[in-house]
Amino acid sequence: MITRHPGTWRPRNGSDAAQRSGVAPKRVIKPDPAIDRILFKRYDLAPDDCIFIDGSANNVETARALGMQGIHFVEPIDVRVALAACRLAV
């Protein structure tokens, strides 16, 4: 997940991680939207300030339904083009 902060986009990683996997209780699995809602609350994020990238079209559709921008990862160039359209340097 990538989030927008005043005028910029940045990946959330390290101790600031907002990774979908591994943050929710074990009974919640992708593409359950509860995972994303946990992240929104934990990191004080607005869905429209987030970009979600995944290889599963179903997971991307779930993210979009929650208000995030979703990018379906098929080929690396497609992701680069989509991120460039968001004005995110890649």
Side-chain angles (χ1 to χ4, degrees):
M1 180 182 294
I2 299 170
T3 60
R4 179 173 47 213
H5 295 275
T8 64
W9 290 93
R10 70 174 183 166
R12 301 198 43 109
N13 53 36
S15 62
D16 200 27
Q19 298 172 0
R20 227 174 170 203
S21 301
V23 299
K26 291 191 183 276
R27 66 186 179 278
V28 181
I29 59 173
K30 294 190 289 187
D32 188 330
I35 293 172
D36 299 299
R37 290 185 186 112
I38 290 168
L39 290 172
F40 299 150
K41 183 175 181 179
R42 181 178 293 175
Y43 295 100
D44 192 29
L45 300 171
D48 62 344
D49 283 339
C50 299
I51 300 172
F52 178 76
I53 304 167
D54 198 272
S56 164
N58 194 29
N59 293 344
V60 172
E61 286 306 314
T62 298
R64 288 177 179 156
L66 289 168
M68 289 187 274
Q69 181 169 344
I71 299 172
H72 183 203
F73 180 89
V74 178
E75 296 292 331
I77 190 64
D78 298 329
V79 174
R80 285 179 171 266
V81 169
L83 292 175
C86 298
R87 298 184 181 161
L88 181 67
V90 290

